């Protein structure tokens, strides 16, 4: 219990650091010095102090959307297994709730983007929804595979009972999860979080009109989402538990750091996919999950 | 039992009296709606008491014909179908009082109330009847009265056409039901349901035929793909309170009939379960895909009924597979999920149709591409519609999530089973439900944001205003129920005890195990909801405090430097859905008409997409054309000369006499 609480506190504190690491890696690849590691913390601080600008088109969904998104992630944080594969709350069936919480978040992100009546934001929202149609069943399939492998129906139960035997399935599922992780967090090659050309963006374009504290909540939520989905990938690829709190926490945190570095490397070496190719990329994730499942059932 | 018969009588009589007062629309509405509401309250209290006290009553009829006594009975299954019926009858009749006001001068309101109350009372009758013939009579009254309601605005050609399609399809459906009941009556020597249950359980070779007939006959009413074609025609044509009643409860009579027949024909075979699972997956996925491609809000909602009937069928299919493979958890979660979804779908689909009706009445258009920005004008409609939209998308913490969760949970429990059929069925159910869920979110973010958010796209949307208080209260009532069911699942789940015993026939120890497991799970889920609510309120207060002392400005939406934005530049529903509909175009086969920009200074570009039902286009239309041309060849028989017709009769009689004597 205490350990799981520690996990949550660490996630809340360290989540914005991930994007700092990613940006640092990208800068190194590009031969730049890059932003400070704690840039997102400075940004959040700055945004929280600012006032806000609203479009006359907007209704209360515009600002309620980001708040709902954050509340939902707080809920997801309670059931996602982190270090030692344990979560604060675990019950059989939390897998389903977990995925549907992201559905709820997406619903409100899209509604608050559409609230501005802007074409750009509509475009981003439409793409976000389209990619979810491919990503969500793939995530379900991956979790089904793990549920069958471990004969367990809760995320924590699944994640704390892996072993290195039969690692093919684990590797395939983690590969699928990694693809979903990139897509859901709007990273390359699905979405480019760095350009400022609206037409090429998905997540960033959906929040184009948000400002001040609302934008801060959005940025913070995005980094929490990165952390939560990242821990799914890390837990599957590195199921190493020593039983000692400090060591397990360190292993988990270094896993997250490695994951961010890998994302940085991927983003430095890859270009954004043509939009029409993105579904194919996501279907690769789906296919990996299916192959894992077939291996598991056979 | 008495309360139910009383409620049917109240609804029926008030309908007749309302018809008599047809010349005084206000009085007529008052009597018709009043009777419907009083009848509903009478029936609803009795239905809820039946569910929680686990009562079963069977009354043999007093009038004995050679078709059997007209018996009635109430059990858990009936009560589970009656509860949403009465809720929806009450809500939509209150709504209808104000909805009908613009029609006072043009239409006979008395007739509307006659058929409306007739529809409500015939559904209630067919649910409590325990005799095959009586059932079919009630079924026909239901079909015919709803036909007259669908064609309420019969001055439009499209409405008349929809009415004809509806009438034909429901009679094709009832033809299968006639076969079904004749076969069952033949096998048991009686039309009484009581004799069915004792006489049919060991009729193995016939039971599969009966199952097939039931799936087709009841499937037409329920809207299983490919028998769904009448739904997207009839629902948009009907007045909105009628669409709500039809989509929310009338199509469920198909599911009721199917479950009733399944209870008679003994232990299910594996292929029944697999067939229903397959039908459910196909209906679910195709339903939501077709919905996504629609511009007409009521047509879109009609396709979502197909989708949700699919989810219900998935649950029943899993339930049958679970029974056959002796996996009680799969069976119980499957049945419980689909039965709860029946109630849930009634609530949120009714709510969505009422909401859509309010928008349509206020703006005069069903085309979502002409709306926009309506939320500011109609906040109550907007909020309740949003609740319905989130509920139908299966999002927590609303009721749609609870029922889908049960089906998911049953599938997840059996994914670990070592034998292959349940594992693969569960896998298909999970993947299918995930796909359906994601597509439903896409579809309802589209409808909600295009209709209610952004800027108005037409003058009609600009001048919209909130509908009357009675219409609002109906919507609020249903929305509150959607939330309440979503968050009070731990209290509701014990009410399933008797129903599951009836439908699954499993031992009570297994049912208790299921109820306990489901209850603990929902208690956990509620804890998470509580956290969500607390965090949200905390953030809300924090945000308020932060922005309190700062100058909050208003500025136009960021338009990329373009200084004369027009509402036309907003994303439309079609463009929102286009990436998905394009991807699935191999199924949808939408018609596209595009005028692309041609020279350097293009004058006009346009784009029009229309997604017609592929089953209508590739199966039913060619088929009916074939039948038509065949029949036309026999036209010489019918030429209008009366004396020849009399000759036909005489010849027929002669042949019959000779046959009888010879």
């Amino acid at each position: 219990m205490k350990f799981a609480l520690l996990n949550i506190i660490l996630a809340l504190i360290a989540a914005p650091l991930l994007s700092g690491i990613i940006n640092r890696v990208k800068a190194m690849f590009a031969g730049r010095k890059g932003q400070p590691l704690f840039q997102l913390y400075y940004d959040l601080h700055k945004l929280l102090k600012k006032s806000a600008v609203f479009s006359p088109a907007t209704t209360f969904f515009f600002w309620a959307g980001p708040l709902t998104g954050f509340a939902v992630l707080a809920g997801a944080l309670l059931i996602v297994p982190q270090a030692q594969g344990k979560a604060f709350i675990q019950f059989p069936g939390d897998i389903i709730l977990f995925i549907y919480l992201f559905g709820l978040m997406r619903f409100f992100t899209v509604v608050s983007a559409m609230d501005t009546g802007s074409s750009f934001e509509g475009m981003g929202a439409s793409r976000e929804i389209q990619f979810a149609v491919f990503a969500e069943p793939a995530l379900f399939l991956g979790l089904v595979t793990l549920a069958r492998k471990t004969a367990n129906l809760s995320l924590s139960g699944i994640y704390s009972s892996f072993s290195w035997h039969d690692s093919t399935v684990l590797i395939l599922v983690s590969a699928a999860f990694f693809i979903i992780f990139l897509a859901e967090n709007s990273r390359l090659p699905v979405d480019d979080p760095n350009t400022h050309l609206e037409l090429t963006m998905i997540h960033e374009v959906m929040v184009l009109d948000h400002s001040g504290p609302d934008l801060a909540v959005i940025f913070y939520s995005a980094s929490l989402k990165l952390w939560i989905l990242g821990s799914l990938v890390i837990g599957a690829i590195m199921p190493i538990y020593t039983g000692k709190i400090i060591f397990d926490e360190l292993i988990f945190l270094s896993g997250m750091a490695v994951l961010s570095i890998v994302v940085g490397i991927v983003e430095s070496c890859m270009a954004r996919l043509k939009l029409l190719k993105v579904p194919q990329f996501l279907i690769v994730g789906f296919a990996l999950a299916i192959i894992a499942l077939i291996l598991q059932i056979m | 039992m008495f309360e139910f018969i009383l409620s049917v009588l109240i609804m029926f009589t008030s309908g007749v009296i309302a018809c008599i007062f047809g010349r005084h629309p206000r009085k007529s509405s008052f009597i018709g709606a009043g009777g419907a509401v009083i009848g509903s309250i009478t029936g609803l209290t009795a239905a809820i008491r039946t569910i929680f006290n686990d009562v079963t009553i069977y009354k043999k009829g007093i009038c004995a014909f050679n078709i059997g006594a007209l018996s009635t009975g109430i059990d858990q299954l009936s009560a589970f179908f009656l509860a949403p019926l009465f809720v929806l009858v009450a809500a939509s009749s209150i709504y209808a009082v104000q909805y009908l006001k613009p029609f006072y001068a043009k239409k006979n309101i008395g007739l509307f109330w006659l058929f409306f109350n007739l529809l409500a009372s015939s559904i209630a009758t067919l649910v409590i009847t325990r005799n095959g013939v009586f059932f079919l009579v009630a079924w026909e009254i239901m079909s015919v009265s709803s036909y007259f309601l669908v064609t309420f605005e019969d001055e439009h050609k499209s409405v008349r056409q929809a009415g004809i399609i509806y009438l034909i399809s429901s009679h094709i459906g009832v033809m299968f039901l006639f076969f079904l009941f004749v076969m069952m009556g033949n096998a048991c020597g009686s039309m009484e349901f009581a004799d069915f249950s004792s006489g049919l359980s060991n009729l193995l070779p016939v039971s599969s035929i009966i199952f097939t007939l039931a799936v087709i006959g009841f499937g037409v009413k329920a809207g299983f793909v490919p028998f769904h074609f009448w739904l997207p025609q009839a629902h948009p044509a009907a007045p909105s309170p009628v669409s709500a009643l039809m989509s929310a409860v009338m199509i469920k009579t198909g599911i009721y009939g199917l479950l009733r027949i399944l209870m008679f024909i003994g232990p299910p075979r594996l292929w029944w379960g697999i067939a229903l699972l397959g039908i459910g997956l196909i209906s679910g996925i195709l339903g939501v895909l077709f919905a996504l491609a629609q511009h007409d809000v009521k047509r879109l909602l009609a396709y979502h009924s197909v989708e949700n009937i699919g989810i219900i069928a998935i649950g029943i299919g899993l339930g049958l597979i679970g029974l056959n493979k002796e996996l009680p958890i799969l069976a119980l979660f499957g049945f419980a999920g689909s039965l709860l979804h029946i109630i849930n779908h009634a609530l949120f689909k009714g709510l969505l149709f009422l909401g859509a009706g309010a928008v349509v009445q206020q703006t005069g258009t069903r085309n979502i591409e002409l709306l926009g920005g309506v939320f500011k004008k109609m906040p109550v409609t907007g909020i309740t519609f949003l609740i319905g939209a989130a509920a139908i998308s299966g999002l927590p913490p609303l009721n749609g999530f609870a029922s889908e969760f049960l089906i998911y949970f049953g599938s997840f429990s059996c994914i670990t089973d070592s034998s292959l059929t349940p594992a693969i069925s569960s896998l298909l159910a999970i993947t299918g439900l995930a796909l359906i869920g994601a597509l439903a979110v896409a579809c309802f973010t589209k409808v909600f944001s295009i209709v209610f958010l952004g800027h108005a796209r037409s003058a009609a949307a600009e001048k919209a205003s909130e509908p009357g208080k009675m219409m609002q209260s109906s919507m609020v009532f249903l929305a509150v129920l959607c939330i309440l069911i979503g968050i009070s699942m731990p209290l509701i789940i014990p009410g399933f005890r008797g129903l599951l015993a009836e439908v699954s026939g499993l031992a009570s120890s297994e049912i208790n195990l299921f109820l306990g497991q489901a209850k603990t799970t929902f208690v956990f889920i509620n804890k998470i909801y509580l956290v969500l609510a607390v965090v949200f309120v905390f953030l809300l207060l924090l945000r308020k405090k932060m922005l309190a002392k700062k100058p909050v400005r208003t500025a136009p939406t960021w338009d990329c430097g373009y200084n004369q934005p027009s509402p036309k530049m907003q994303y439309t529903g079609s463009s929102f859905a286009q990436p998905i509909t394009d991807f699935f175009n191999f199924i949808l086969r939408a018609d596209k008409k595009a005028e692309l920009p041609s020279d350097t200074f293009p004058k006009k570009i346009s784009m029009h997409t229309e997604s017609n039902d592929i089953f209508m286009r590739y199966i039913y239309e060619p088929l009916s054309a074939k039948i038509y041309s065949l029949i036309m060849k026999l036209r010489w028989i019918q030429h209008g000369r009366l004396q020849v017709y009399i000759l036909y009769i005489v010849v027929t009689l002669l042949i019959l006499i000779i046959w009888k004597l010879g």
Side-chain angles (χ1 to χ4, degrees):
Chain A
M1 201 72 164
K2 265 185 201 159
F3 186 68
L5 200 64
L6 177 73
N7 273 330
I8 291 178
I9 294 167
L10 265 177
L12 288 173
I13 295 172
L17 196 61
L18 296 184
S19 73
I21 299 177
I22 296 174
N23 280 333
R24 246 346 210 319
V25 173
K26 283 165 84 174
M28 273 167 62
F29 265 77
R32 290 182 282 118
K33 189 158 167 270
Q35 306 168 338
L37 216 48
F38 293 98
Q39 183 62 43
L40 188 53
Y41 294 92
Y42 305 141
D43 287 349
L44 291 177
H45 180 67
K46 185 182 70 185
L47 283 170
L48 285 177
K49 281 195 302 184
K50 285 199 168 192
S51 172
V53 182
F54 294 101
S55 154
T58 58
T59 60
F60 88 101
F61 292 108
F62 182 69
W63 54 263
L67 300 190
T68 315
F70 182 83
V72 163
L73 286 175
L77 204 53
L78 291 178
I79 46 181
V80 75
Q82 300 183 41
Q84 265 187 4
K86 287 210 180 92
F88 191 66
I89 295 181
Q90 51 167 303
F91 58 94
D94 59 8
I95 306 176
I96 306 156
L97 182 67
F98 181 76
I99 298 178
Y100 269 76
L101 284 178
F102 283 101
L104 182 62
M105 182 182 181
R106 182 172 302 116
F107 190 92
F108 276 95
T109 316
V110 165
V111 165
S112 87
M114 295 298 285
D115 201 13
T116 58
S118 146
S119 276
F120 298 130
E121 292 177 46
M123 212 175 272
S126 155
R127 288 169 186 170
E128 164 94 6
I129 283 286
Q130 183 206 4
F131 299 153
V133 169
F134 302 105
E136 209 172 274
L139 186 56
F140 255 116
L141 266 185
L143 288 173
V144 163
T145 313
L146 298 182
R148 186 167 167 101
K149 184 176 170 57
T150 57
N152 214 310
L153 292 187
S154 87
L155 279 173
S156 304
I158 289 173
Y159 271 78
S160 55
S161 52
F162 287 144
S163 61
W164 277 101
H165 309 293
D166 192 18
S167 50
T168 336
V169 171
L170 274 191
I171 290 172
L172 284 170
V173 171
S174 354
F177 280 179
F178 185 64
I179 289 177
I180 297 161
F181 166 81
L182 291 177
E184 285 280 327
N185 287 302
S186 327
R187 313 301 310 191
L188 281 171
V190 174
D191 184 11
D192 190 347
N194 273 16
T195 77
H196 278 277
L197 188 60
E198 290 86 345
L199 297 179
T200 60
M201 300 191 298
I202 301 166
H203 183 259
E204 298 298 306
V205 73
M206 284 167 68
V207 303
L208 211 57
D209 265 87
H210 285 92
S211 53
D214 294 335
L215 191 60
V217 170
I218 289 171
F219 282 158
Y220 188 52
S221 303
S223 62
L224 266 184
K225 195 175 173 189
L226 198 70
W227 183 280
I228 291 171
L229 289 173
S231 36
L232 283 191
V233 181
I234 292 299
I237 197 82
M238 300 183 16
I240 315 161
Y241 311 120
T242 59
K244 290 238 165 54
I245 292 185
I246 303 175
F247 288 124
D248 282 334
E249 202 61 69
L250 278 177
I251 291 171
F252 175 73
L253 289 180
S254 53
M256 292 300 269
V258 171
L259 183 68
S260 324
I261 294 170
V262 172
V263 172
I265 296 172
V266 168
E267 297 211 339
S268 310
C269 304
M270 271 184 97
R272 194 171 158 286
L273 284 174
K274 220 170 124 182
L275 263 178
L276 296 174
K277 299 273 180 199
V278 174
Q280 296 174 13
F281 178 66
L282 290 169
I283 287 171
V284 170
F286 191 75
L288 287 172
I290 287 187
I291 295 169
L293 187 63
I294 291 171
L295 284 180
Q296 189 54 50
I297 288 182
M298 288 305 146
Chain B
M1 197 66 240
F2 171 71
E3 289 102 321
F4 295 107
I5 295 174
L6 184 70
S7 97
V8 169
L9 285 178
I10 294 173
M11 290 195 282
F12 176 72
T13 329
S14 68
V16 174
I17 299 174
C19 185
I20 295 169
F21 281 94
R23 284 177 185 280
H24 310 281
R26 286 177 64 92
K27 272 185 207 158
S28 177
S29 284
F30 182 73
I31 296 164
V37 171
I38 294 170
S40 299
I41 294 171
T42 318
L44 184 64
T45 47
I48 290 174
R49 222 174 37 238
T50 312
I51 291 172
F52 280 96
N53 297 340
D54 204 353
V55 190
T56 305
I57 305 166
Y58 174 77
K59 275 218 159 66
K60 199 152 172 68
I62 32 165
C63 39
F65 302 108
N66 54 358
I67 49 157
L70 301 183
S71 307
T72 53
I74 180 89
D75 56 4
Q76 294 290 308
L77 188 65
S78 302
F80 257 82
F81 279 84
L82 286 174
L85 166 74
F86 289 129
V87 170
L88 260 294
V89 168
S92 53
S93 59
I94 291 173
Y95 177 97
V97 172
Q98 265 173 346
Y99 183 86
L100 290 175
K101 276 197 179 140
F103 297 98
Y104 276 0
K106 290 179 273 180
K107 292 279 165 191
N108 186 342
I109 302 297
L111 277 180
F112 176 90
W113 284 111
L114 173 68
F115 290 120
F116 189 88
N117 287 9
L118 206 53
L119 175 62
S121 47
S122 62
I123 297 175
T125 311
L126 85 86
V127 174
I128 58 174
T129 177
R130 291 294 177 271
N131 176 291
V133 177
F134 201 5
F135 182 90
L136 285 175
V137 171
W139 186 273
E140 276 297 84
I141 296 175
M142 172 179 84
S143 298
V144 174
S145 56
S146 54
Y147 163 77
F148 283 112
L149 290 169
V150 167
T151 54
F152 181 63
E153 292 175 67
D154 57 359
E155 65 273 20
H156 304 293
K157 187 170 176 257
S158 62
V159 170
R160 293 198 298 271
Q161 196 187 350
I164 289 294
I165 288 177
Y166 174 52
L167 202 62
I168 292 172
S169 69
S170 60
H171 282 93
I172 292 174
V174 89
M175 189 177 80
F176 287 93
L177 295 186
F178 270 103
F179 274 121
L180 170 78
F181 279 101
V182 165
M183 273 188 79
M184 304 221 313
N186 213 17
C188 305
S190 156
M191 276 298 192
E192 287 288 294
F193 283 5
D195 299 324
F196 287 168
S197 41
S198 54
L200 275 170
S201 45
N202 41 16
L203 272 180
L204 269 179
V206 190
S207 62
S208 278
I209 303 174
I210 291 179
F211 172 78
T212 315
L213 286 173
V215 167
I216 300 172
F218 290 121
V220 173
K221 188 59 78 182
F224 288 160
V225 170
F227 317 120
H228 68 288
F229 58 91
W230 62 271
L231 267 150
Q233 308 268 347
H235 285 337
S240 294
V242 175
S243 325
L245 196 60
M246 282 173 72
S247 176
V249 286
M250 193 194 77
I251 63 170
K252 305 294 167 30
T253 57
I255 301 290
Y256 168 78
L258 187 59
L259 284 172
R260 189 57 82 191
I261 299 297
L262 282 173
M263 281 163 66
F264 295 145
I265 53 178
R269 297 183 173 191
L270 185 60
W271 78 264
W272 300 354
I274 294 174
L276 275 179
L277 176 67
I279 289 174
L281 285 169
I282 292 171
S283 304
I285 294 170
L286 289 187
V288 67
L289 273 180
F290 286 128
L292 200 57
Q294 303 304 320
H295 316 297
D296 177 331
V297 60
K298 287 181 75 178
R299 216 174 138 82
L300 183 149
L301 290 177
Y303 273 117
H304 272 286
S305 296
V306 178
E307 175 221 325
N308 281 282
I309 285 290
I311 294 176
I312 293 166
I314 290 175
I316 299 175
L318 289 178
L320 294 180
I321 294 172
L323 284 184
N324 184 279
K325 289 278 167 186
E326 285 168 5
L327 293 165
I329 285 297
L330 182 63
L332 292 172
F333 273 102
F335 282 130
S338 72
L339 287 161
L340 181 63
H341 205 71
I342 289 167
I343 295 179
N344 290 343
H345 178 247
L347 297 176
F348 53 64
K349 183 51 70 63
L351 167 62
L352 288 169
F353 264 119
L354 296 187
V359 173
V360 173
Q361 194 187 47
Q362 295 299 312
T363 59
T365 177
R366 294 203 306 254
N367 187 348
I368 60 170
E369 313 286 29
L370 298 177
L371 298 167
V374 175
F375 187 81
K376 287 206 180 93
K377 317 281 169 47
M378 308 169 74
V380 175
T381 312
I383 287 282
T384 51
F385 195 91
L386 178 84
I387 291 169
I392 198 174
S393 310
L395 294 178
L398 297 155
N399 58 352
F401 175 71
S403 43
E404 285 184 29
F405 182 88
L406 287 170
I407 302 179
Y408 269 121
F409 194 90
S411 317
F412 262 103
S413 323
C414 287
I415 205 81
T416 48
D417 192 82
S418 50
S419 82
L420 219 51
T421 322
I424 290 178
S425 313
S426 313
L427 171 68
L428 286 175
I430 293 172
T431 323
L433 280 175
L435 185 63
I436 293 169
L439 287 169
V441 169
C443 194
F444 275 95
T445 46
K446 165 185 139 174
V447 190
F448 181 74
S449 31
I450 300 302
V451 173
F452 286 98
L453 304 178
H455 296 283
R457 291 178 178 80
S458 65
E462 192 87 57
K463 68 169 175 43
S465 65
E466 200 74 88
K469 281 277 182 288
M470 286 168 95
M471 284 167 80
Q472 285 182 34
S473 61
S474 290
M475 295 186 281
V476 171
F477 172 57
L478 292 177
V480 168
L481 283 180
C482 285
I483 299 173
L484 275 184
I485 291 186
I487 57 176
S488 53
M489 279 310 288
L491 300 176
I492 292 171
I493 210 84
F496 279 79
R497 188 188 308 271
L499 177 71
L500 287 173
E502 236 174 66
V503 175
S504 70
L506 289 168
S508 61
S509 60
E510 272 152 351
I511 293 174
N512 285 338
L513 185 74
F514 155 79
L515 292 174
Q517 199 176 355
K519 193 174 169 178
T520 358
T521 312
F522 279 113
V523 169
F524 271 118
I525 292 179
N526 274 2
K527 282 184 189 160
I528 307 264
Y529 290 165
L530 190 67
V531 172
L532 251 61
V534 169
V535 172
F536 184 82
V537 171
F538 173 73
L539 284 179
L540 196 71
L541 297 175
L542 199 69
R543 178 183 182 278
K544 208 171 172 186
K545 201 172 161 234
M546 270 181 174
L547 287 177
K549 285 182 198 135
K550 288 167 196 157
V552 173
R553 279 195 303 129
T554 310
T557 299
W558 167 241
D559 48 14
C560 221
Y562 184 76
N563 62 2
Q564 277 190 316
S566 116
K568 276 197 163 183
M569 291 166 63
Q570 292 174 100
Y571 232 48
T572 59
S574 327
S575 39
F576 185 82
Q578 181 260 345
I580 304 177
T581 50
D582 264 14
F583 187 88
F584 289 102
N585 201 35
F586 66 98
I587 298 172
L588 289 168
R589 298 182 184 275
D591 289 325
K592 250 186 201 173
K593 277 185 218 125
E595 272 179 75
L596 297 174
S598 48
D599 43 300
T600 324
F601 297 102
K603 291 247 159 37
K604 190 188 168 202
I605 53 171
S606 73
M607 170 83 170
H608 179 78
T609 58
E610 202 172 311
S611 186
N612 290 314
D613 201 297
I614 51 166
F615 291 93
M616 204 64 187
R617 198 155 104 188
Y618 295 103
I619 299 177
Y620 296 113
E621 277 173 8
L623 192 71
S624 59
K626 269 265 156 43
I627 293 173
Y628 187 71
S629 69
L630 256 168
I631 291 172
M632 286 307 273
K633 288 195 183 122
L634 294 173
R635 219 183 147 179
W636 56 268
I637 301 174
Q638 198 179 25
H639 33 55
R641 276 192 294 274
L642 193 62
Q643 60 271 42
V644 185
Y645 288 175
I646 295 171
L647 185 68
Y648 290 164
I649 296 172
V650 171
V651 169
T652 314
L653 286 176
L654 266 177
I655 291 172
L656 285 177
I657 290 170
I658 292 166
W659 183 38
K660 194 74 192 166
L661 294 178

